[in-house]
Amino acid sequence: NYIVTIDYDRQIIKMDSLHKEVLDLKKIIAFHYTNEGNLPEVILTSSNGRKLMAYFDTGSQGVLKFSERLFSELLEENTLKIYSKGFYYGYVFEGFKTYSIENLSYKNVSFKLKNLSYYHDNEDKISLGYSFLKDYVSVWDFKNKVITLYK
């Protein structure tokens, strides 16, 4: 029944009650998740109304696991962008492709996912990892199945 707070900037993970310094931050979004798999899952919505399954994974950089069909459709819709100069774990690599998904939302809060990797997989899911979580202080309430992001 712990509340886990992860602050990438300060390189801190705390496992107890909510900390005062978090309460001083602005609450950006609260993701109410399910546990259909082993990791917390949420449904995101693209700007054209497409529903996309995503899951939180602190051990991942952030990955698009899409079928070729979904990958092509998102490119055509201009929702998915490809960058040939990749930024990966703090380093810039020439010729290393990264991907971003523009104009996503969850409960009317808009955001974008950037610096993602991609591999073909018929799962059609997005891993919300370091590239997304690093911009926030995240509070993981496992008892109530809520991940809240603060800035």
Side-chain angles (χ1 to χ4, degrees):
N1 291 335
Y2 282 109
I3 292 177
V4 177
T5 302
I6 302 173
D7 184 340
Y8 285 97
D9 276 348
R10 294 176 41 209
Q11 299 180 353
I12 295 172
I13 297 175
K14 296 181 180 179
M15 297 180 68
D16 51 25
S17 59
L18 198 56
H19 297 277
K20 180 189 177 308
E21 60 265 20
V22 171
L23 296 174
D24 292 339
L25 297 173
K26 180 182 178 190
K27 179 178 169 182
I28 304 299
I29 189 169
F31 290 96
H32 297 266
Y33 65 84
T34 61
N35 276 95
E36 300 302 319
N38 293 326
L39 299 167
E41 295 180 337
V42 294
I43 303 287
L44 306 178
T45 306
S46 70
S47 58
N48 67 354
R50 182 187 297 271
K51 303 295 184 198
L52 297 168
M53 176 65 73
Y55 61 91
F56 289 88
D57 184 354
T58 59
S60 165
Q61 167 69 13
V63 181
L64 303 173
K65 298 179 179 182
F66 290 160
S67 63
E68 290 177 23
R69 179 192 57 76
L70 179 58
F71 185 84
S72 297
E73 288 174 1
L74 291 172
L75 276 175
E76 280 179 28
E77 295 168 4
N78 211 25
T79 300
L80 177 64
K81 308 276 187 187
I82 302 173
Y83 298 93
S84 60
K85 188 180 215 179
F87 182 80
Y88 194 71
Y89 286 105
Y91 299 98
V92 175
F93 293 94
E94 295 292 335
F96 179 82
K97 289 183 182 175
T98 61
Y99 305 83
S100 72
I101 297 187
E102 314 280 328
N103 303 318
L104 286 174
S105 66
Y106 179 83
K107 297 200 177 189
N108 298 320
V109 176
S110 296
F111 54 91
K112 127 179 176 175
L113 301 175
K114 55 188 177 185
N115 295 319
L116 303 166
S117 58
Y118 163 77
Y119 68 85
H120 176 265
D121 191 320
N122 289 327
E123 247 187 325
D124 287 340
K125 290 184 177 181
I126 302 168
S127 162
L128 300 172
Y130 173 78
S131 62
F132 175 64
L133 294 170
K134 71 177 177 53
D135 295 329
Y136 305 95
V137 172
S138 58
V139 176
W140 302 58
D141 180 346
F142 293 100
K143 181 179 179 184
N144 295 305
K145 295 186 176 184
V146 178
I147 297 171
T148 307
L149 304 181
Y150 296 85
K151 226 173 189 175

